[in-house]
Amino acid sequence: MTKTIGLICGSLRKDSYNRIIAKSLTDLNDSHHFHFIEINDLPLYNEDIEISGIPETVTSFKSAVQDVDGIIIVSPEYNSGIPGVLKNALDWASRPRDSSVLSRKPVGLIGATPGGLGTAFAQMQIRQILEAMQVHVLPFQKVLISQVDKKIDSDQKVLTDEQTKRYLQQYLHQFIHWIDHTPTLD
Ligand SMILES: Cc1cc2nc3c(=O)[nH]c(=O)nc-3n(C[C@H](O)[C@H](O)[C@H](O)COP(=O)(O)O)c2cc1C
C-alpha cells in the first residue's frame, strides 16, 4: 500500500547537503508520497508557551507529524551531537507526553557530512532521544554518509554518487517494510 513519509531535515541551511540527500529520496522511489516537514519556524521550546497557548506553527508541525505513516530524519552532526534545531523540534513533538504525536511512530535516520564519520555520534544521540520518546526507530540499519560534498552536484543540488543512491534505495525499502512491521507492545 502507498505510504506517506515525512522528511525532517536537521539543517536549516539553504544549500544543506542533508536536504539534498532528503530530496534524493523522493526521486529514488515513486511508489510512495514524500513531503518535507519544516522545523525552521518553531519557537524555542518553553513550557510557559504551552500554558499561554500553543502557536499555530507548533500545531501545524504536530499535525504534519501525526498525518504521516513514518518519518525519515536526515540530519547533520554538530559538535559530535544532535543539532539544536532538531532537538527543539523533537521536544515539541514529544509534548504532551501521554499523547505525543511521535509516540510509536516509525522513524528512520540518515545523516550526511563532508567529514569522515558520517554523523555517527549524532545518530547515536538521536536514537537515544527517540527511544526515550517511545518512537519505533528502524533498528540495525544505519546510513552514515561521509564526504558528502564529493557525492553530490552542488550546482544542480542533486545526489550523483551511484553507490549512495543504492544504499538509500535499500534503506527506503527496509523502512517501508518497517512501517508495516513495527512491534505492538502496548
Ligand atoms: C556548529 C557546527 C559543528 C559541526 N560539528 C561537526 C561534527 O561534529 N561532525 C561533523 O561531521 N561535521 C561537523 N560540522 C560540519 C557539518 O557536517 C557541515 O557544516 C555540514 O555541511 C552541515 O550539514 P548541512 O550541509 O546539511 O547543513 C559542524 C558544523 C557546524 C556549523
Side-chain angles (χ1 to χ4, degrees):
M1 214 177 77
T2 303
K3 308 288 185 215
T4 304
I5 297 168
L7 300 170
I8 294 181
C9 180
S11 169
L12 306 186
R13 201 168 72 86
K14 181 169 54 69
D15 296 325
S16 160
Y17 295 128
N18 283 277
R19 186 168 280 267
I20 293 170
I21 296 294
K23 172 74 178 52
S24 76
L25 296 174
T26 69
D27 301 328
L28 289 172
N29 189 308
D30 52 14
S31 314
H32 303 281
H33 301 305
F34 295 85
H35 66 85
F36 278 89
I37 299 176
E38 302 298 347
I39 61 174
N40 52 312
D41 285 338
L42 294 172
L44 285 179
Y45 179 79
N46 176 343
E47 212 169 332
D48 291 341
I49 301 178
E50 285 185 324
I51 295 161
S52 60
I54 304 281
E56 167 55 25
T57 47
V58 174
T59 311
S60 49
F61 166 70
K62 286 196 201 178
S63 304
V65 169
Q66 181 134 47
D67 289 349
V68 292
D69 298 308
I71 291 176
I72 298 181
I73 295 173
V74 190
S75 179
E77 172 175 284
Y78 284 173
N79 298 306
S80 301
I82 178 173
V85 287
L86 177 59
K87 179 63 163 59
N88 186 52
L90 296 179
D91 287 339
W92 274 117
S94 74
R95 302 283 298 170
R97 189 171 163 73
D98 54 4
S99 58
S100 162
V101 287
L102 263 179
S103 181
R104 308 289 195 263
K105 185 74 72 178
V107 168
L109 297 179
I110 292 173
T113 170
L117 296 179
T119 76
F121 296 111
Q123 283 204 30
M124 281 193 293
Q125 277 189 3
I126 298 169
R127 194 172 281 270
Q128 184 185 18
I129 291 160
L130 292 174
E131 230 167 67
M133 295 166 57
Q134 301 182 324
V135 171
H136 289 309
V137 186
L138 176 61
F140 312 124
Q141 296 305 320
K142 293 188 176 60
V143 184
L144 305 170
I145 304 174
S146 54
Q147 273 100 43
V148 67
D149 49 323
K150 299 185 179 70
K151 295 172 179 167
I152 61 155
D153 178 329
S154 301
D155 297 328
Q156 302 297 317
K157 297 189 182 166
V158 289
L159 173 66
T160 48
D161 184 67
E162 291 302 324
Q163 193 178 30
T164 306
K165 284 186 194 177
R166 279 197 297 279
Y167 282 141
L168 290 175
Q169 235 150 6
Q170 282 167 14
Y171 189 78
L172 261 182
H173 181 74
Q174 286 171 351
F175 185 66
I176 303 295
H177 185 76
W178 178 239
I179 290 176
D180 286 329
H181 294 88
T182 51
T184 45
L185 298 172
D186 293 309

